[in-house]
Amino acid sequence: MTLVTQAVVFAAQAHDGALRKGSQIPYIVHPMEAVAIASTLTDDPHVLAAAALHDVMEDCAVDYDTLLARFGSRVADLVRDESQPQGGNPCRSWGMRKRETVRRLEAGSREAQIVALADKLSNMRAIGRDYAREGEAVFLRFHQQDKRMHAWYYRSCAALMEGELGLTQAWRELKGLIDRVFGDVPSLEPGEEEENACAG
């Protein structure tokens, strides 16, 4: 099997039984969509493999050493770069995890930004579809329910990727979805306010 096929099989097994938040859609649909998006930006098999695997450390308790042994350092490093640190109450740790993601993205390589863009665009497509159907209620499915903080997060990510990827169709689609979903909603960077904004 090719590297990408191996990664897809591994991801499918790791995410088996998991569903997308607030839906009955199998979770594996998301990393597969991320691979498809990344393939419009690169044909590098290591980057495509990382797109397939980008959530296995964060969501499936797969450790770095396992990915290193199975897929090599380039893939393992890219997946680690896209994985949010875990720990603590998921509501109260939201801001910490998102700020760390933004910091890593700012320092990330083009390849790391491709994986991130693929992930964020897939997520925003889902949010955009559900927002059109459910309106503001879509944000009630998240640990962090303050729309302003989601606006900060996605706008920050898009801004940091613009230098490397701003001329791509994928980035333009992401920016359009962010503008449509968040509109004139002000961005609120998480801080002390997050404790009050999270659902109890």
Side-chain angles (χ1 to χ4, degrees):
M1 288 190 290
T2 68
L3 180 68
V4 176
T5 301
Q6 291 178 59
V8 167
V9 171
F10 186 97
Q13 292 172 339
H15 292 293
D16 187 40
L19 302 174
R20 287 287 271 165
K21 191 171 292 184
S23 79
Q24 294 299 306
I25 299 171
Y27 194 87
I28 191 61
V29 171
H30 167 59
M32 293 305 92
E33 184 175 27
V35 174
I37 294 167
S39 72
T40 69
L41 302 165
T42 182
D43 58 5
D44 185 329
H46 295 89
V47 178
L48 300 181
L53 297 163
H54 76 269
D55 274 337
V56 299
M57 288 182 68
E58 184 176 321
D59 293 340
C60 306
V62 175
D63 62 27
Y64 175 85
D65 289 340
T66 298
L67 292 180
L68 181 64
R70 290 287 298 271
F71 301 103
S73 60
R74 274 194 75 203
V75 173
D77 287 351
L78 287 168
V79 174
R80 182 175 58 188
D81 286 348
E82 185 59 13
S83 300
Q84 297 182 52
Q86 300 298 298
N89 181 290
C91 176
R92 290 187 173 86
S93 65
W94 188 93
M96 176 273 291
R97 292 184 287 114
K98 298 304 183 184
R99 284 192 296 268
E100 178 62 24
T101 296
V102 169
R103 284 193 292 268
R104 286 200 312 272
L105 187 58
E106 184 174 20
S109 64
R110 178 181 176 84
E111 290 75 19
Q113 291 195 11
I114 287 173
V115 176
L117 175 54
D119 174 34
K120 304 303 179 286
L121 176 52
S122 176
N123 284 335
M124 277 304 305
R125 283 175 176 176
I127 291 171
R129 287 191 299 268
D130 292 344
Y131 185 73
R133 183 173 62 250
E134 302 173 25
E136 302 300 322
V138 70
F139 294 99
L140 299 179
R141 70 181 58 169
F142 300 113
H143 292 301
Q144 174 53 259
Q145 297 179 2
D146 191 325
K147 185 177 180 180
R148 298 170 299 168
M149 293 192 189
H150 291 276
W152 163 80
Y153 176 61
Y154 281 102
R155 286 169 180 160
S156 296
C157 290
L160 289 171
M161 293 186 285
E162 184 175 9
E164 282 286 348
L165 302 171
L167 297 179
T168 67
Q169 179 59 39
W171 185 89
R172 291 195 296 269
E173 183 183 351
L174 175 65
K175 181 64 164 56
L177 285 166
I178 291 169
D179 290 345
R180 178 156 59 87
V181 170
F182 297 111
D184 295 330
V185 172
S187 294
L188 177 62
E189 183 172 358
E192 292 183 3
E193 301 92 340
E194 184 187 1
E195 295 295 327
N196 297 321
C198 279

